[in-house]
Amino acid sequence: MAENNEFFREVNEDYRRDQVAQIWRRYSGVIIALAVLVVASVGGWRYWQSAQRSAAEAASEQFDTANRLAREGKAEEADKIFTGLEKDGPAGYRLLAQFRSAVEAAKRDPAKGAAEFDAIAGDTGVGDGLRELARLRSALIRLDLPDPAPALASLQSLAAGSPFRHTAREMLGLVALKRGQYEEAGRWFDQLATDPETPQNLRQRIEVYAALVAGGPVTVTEAKPEPAAPPPPITR
């Protein structure tokens, strides 16, 4: 019985070898091509990863250099680097460069800086959160321009439900307070007070704002001059 089992095992092994040989003769070209493709794909993927890492490291150095130049007041040199990153840098650094370029532009020309933030806010390729942040930054800049109406409209839109609604509501309340519109200011501050997600540090400021609203406008009366004292009597 053992000899029969050994015989059948040898027959099965020979049969499997013949099958493998036939498959190899028929499909050897395809197998080799697939192997080469797998090796090339792995090599290409690793090369791409290395290239991306190198590009990110170079962009990081450029971004740091541009920030340093901006702090040193060398705006023109910083702008050149930011512009280069916006055109040719990796995706993340392109966006960072756009934000930083807008910030630096706003220091020299608020209208231009606001326009650059508007461009980021209108880019559908940018994530919603970053687009709303750009809208907020643009609105905050435009509040100090001769016509703040577009800024107020943008802030009201953000105040409706944006992740930046707390900042938008605070600024709208402060603008109303500055204009003497105490009821409107109170409504914005009340929305902050009742929002459970309002940050704690902002809640502390709301207490001050609420006190200002409750105090209302300050009336300053002109002091009346006191009557002059009568001249002393003349004695002889």
Side-chain angles (χ1 to χ4, degrees):
M1 181 64 70
E3 293 178 356
N4 290 336
N5 290 337
E6 182 68 23
F7 172 76
F8 286 122
R9 186 167 58 253
E10 290 179 0
V11 169
N12 288 333
E13 289 177 356
D14 291 340
Y15 177 73
R16 283 196 295 270
R17 279 196 295 269
D18 289 340
Q19 281 188 315
V20 170
Q22 288 179 9
I23 292 172
W24 176 253
R25 284 193 297 270
R26 182 176 299 179
Y27 300 109
S28 59
V30 176
I31 294 172
I32 292 173
L34 287 173
V36 171
L37 181 62
V38 169
V39 172
S41 298
V42 172
W45 171 251
R46 289 183 176 176
Y47 173 79
W48 181 85
Q49 284 183 314
S50 176
Q52 289 291 103
R53 185 165 52 251
S54 298
E57 290 173 355
S60 176
E61 292 180 4
Q62 289 179 304
F63 188 77
D64 289 342
T65 300
N67 279 328
R68 177 177 55 78
L69 291 171
R71 289 194 300 269
E72 294 173 355
K74 301 175 181 178
E76 187 174 345
E77 296 177 43
D79 284 344
K80 288 181 180 179
I81 297 177
F82 285 136
T83 300
L85 285 172
E86 288 179 39
K87 292 180 178 178
D88 304 320
Y93 282 99
R94 282 202 301 270
L95 189 56
L96 281 174
Q98 284 181 284
F99 269 93
R100 285 294 295 150
S101 178
V103 169
E104 296 303 320
K107 294 177 182 178
R108 303 185 299 272
D109 184 348
K112 181 181 178 183
E116 290 190 18
F117 277 119
D118 287 340
I120 299 173
D123 186 352
T124 56
V126 177
D128 291 342
L130 292 174
R131 291 174 66 190
E132 291 188 341
L133 174 59
R135 285 177 59 200
L136 176 65
R137 295 298 300 270
S138 173
L140 295 179
I141 294 170
R142 291 185 186 279
L143 281 177
D144 294 326
L145 296 182
D147 180 16
L152 294 174
S154 184
L155 287 173
Q156 288 171 357
S157 175
L158 290 168
S162 160
F164 302 102
R165 64 186 181 278
H166 304 113
T167 301
R169 291 169 181 172
E170 181 181 16
M171 295 309 302
L172 287 166
L174 289 174
V175 169
L177 194 61
K178 183 178 179 181
R179 292 178 173 181
Q181 300 167 343
Y182 290 90
E183 288 187 12
E184 182 177 350
R187 285 195 294 271
W188 289 118
F189 297 145
D190 285 344
Q191 288 188 31
L192 287 169
T194 57
D195 188 337
E197 296 182 1
T198 297
Q200 185 59 37
N201 60 342
L202 179 52
R203 289 188 182 279
Q204 295 172 357
R205 294 199 297 273
I206 292 172
E207 294 179 4
V208 178
Y209 302 152
L212 292 173
V213 171
V218 178
T219 303
V220 179
T221 58
E222 184 179 354
K224 295 181 179 180
E226 295 185 3
I234 299 175
T235 57
R236 297 188 180 185

